[in-house]
Amino acid sequence: MALLCGSMAVSPVASADTVDVSPPGANDWSCKPTAAHPNPVILVPGTFENMAKNWATMAPALKSEGYCVYALNYGATNGVDATGPIADSAAQLAPFVDAVLASTGAKKVDLVGHSQGGMMPRYYMGFLNGAKKVNQLVGIAPSNHGTQGLITPTPGSVPPATSVGGSNCQACADQQAGSPFLTKLNSIGDTVAGPAYTVISTTHDEVVTPYQSQFLAGPAQKVTNITIQDKCPADVIEHDQTPNDPVVQRLVSNALGRPAGEPADPAYQPSCI
């Protein structure tokens, strides 16, 4: 699954010999949130992806709006990011959130994730005591209920030896509809008390299918499910490039700009240009 991209940065929770490439505008550990944007934003990439590729346009766009923006890599197997067991990846997200909160002095973060990155934080919130630290989760084409299709990397994005759906990509197996991981994740319901949830999906998604499986059930006060083509019918964006779509970026901005504890405004109409 191609979920998506810099400066060099060493995260406070990285090992001493780990140097990751951050997308432009992300991981400025001197950033302090403003009253207008009190929650730092953490960008979570998807399967087979790294933060530098996945968030090459989203990170600088949010930074230019005044947000403190952070991003991480996680779940590497044989050098390929976001392919390890998703429960383990959620456990890597936990200390990164703590590091961002400690650095910024904020009480909560907003999480924006693509594909696996839009679903994995739900495990962190539901099973790893993360809900109290998150104001909102914005999932872009998230694999919330798994996919009926096969999760495969885009050509040339991973080493040829990587086995799709095999032992080298446990995350792929975890995201198949009905997997033991998803059964556990959704056993407590689609949402947990506290955070708000926004889901942004495209009818042209060829990876997480059917696209409606991405949506979350919950009260309107806490959950907003958005189909891009309901807003912009001519938008043909597919799964891989959703984070780079200007319409998606406007929808994310709307969600992040909402009052504390509220998801995106379902009535918001972004420019389709």
Side-chain angles (χ1 to χ4, degrees):
M1 174 182 348
L3 300 181
L4 303 182
C5 14
S7 59
M8 302 299 290
V10 179
S11 125
V13 295
S15 63
D17 60 351
T18 297
V19 178
D20 289 326
V21 179
S22 299
N27 294 333
D28 173 5
W29 294 94
S30 67
C31 188
K32 298 300 179 184
T34 64
H37 303 300
N39 300 318
V41 178
I42 297 177
L43 303 175
V44 188
T47 314
F48 302 122
E49 292 296 344
N50 59 62
M51 60 177 167
K53 180 170 179 274
N54 213 157
W55 305 112
T57 60
M58 182 77 76
L62 292 175
K63 181 70 172 181
S64 70
E65 293 180 23
Y67 289 95
C68 290
V69 181
Y70 300 85
L72 77 160
N73 293 327
Y74 65 87
T77 305
N78 295 330
V80 182
D81 288 309
T83 54
I86 297 179
D88 293 349
S89 293
Q92 294 178 34
L93 174 63
F96 191 84
V97 171
D98 290 344
V100 169
L101 292 176
S103 177
T104 59
K107 295 181 179 179
K108 294 186 178 184
V109 301
D110 284 324
L111 300 174
V112 178
H114 181 210
S115 199
Q116 180 190 160
M119 171 272 289
M120 175 268 277
R122 292 180 51 224
Y123 191 94
Y124 160 67
M125 295 189 295
F127 293 92
L128 302 179
N129 202 33
K132 63 184 180 183
K133 302 175 184 180
V134 178
N135 172 64
Q136 182 174 189
L137 169 62
V138 181
I140 303 170
S143 49
N144 281 318
H145 298 100
T147 178
Q148 299 291 340
L150 292 176
I151 297 175
T152 60
T154 53
S157 64
V158 299
T162 300
S163 60
V164 176
S167 60
N168 288 348
C169 186
Q170 181 59 45
C172 299
D174 285 349
Q175 290 174 92
Q176 292 298 310
S179 72
F181 171 80
L182 286 171
T183 298
K184 178 179 179 180
L185 173 67
N186 293 312
S187 67
I188 59 174
D190 283 7
T191 65
V192 293
Y197 299 79
T198 295
V199 175
I200 302 170
S201 303
T202 173
T203 60
H204 299 284
D205 199 310
E206 78 290 11
V207 175
V208 180
T209 58
Y211 75 89
Q212 296 93 334
S213 69
Q214 302 170 17
F215 296 151
L216 295 172
Q221 299 92 329
K222 283 293 181 181
V223 178
T224 297
N225 294 306
I226 300 170
T227 301
I228 296 168
Q229 287 72 26
D230 286 345
K231 303 294 184 179
C232 298
D235 193 326
V236 295
I237 199 72
E238 40 68 56
H239 183 92
D240 181 72
Q241 291 298 312
T242 44
N244 299 317
D245 183 14
V247 172
V248 171
Q249 293 178 6
R250 291 168 191 141
L251 291 168
V252 170
S253 181
N254 172 261
L256 295 178
R258 297 284 285 165
E262 294 185 19
D265 179 3
Y268 169 68
Q269 175 59 54
S271 167
C272 295
I273 299 175

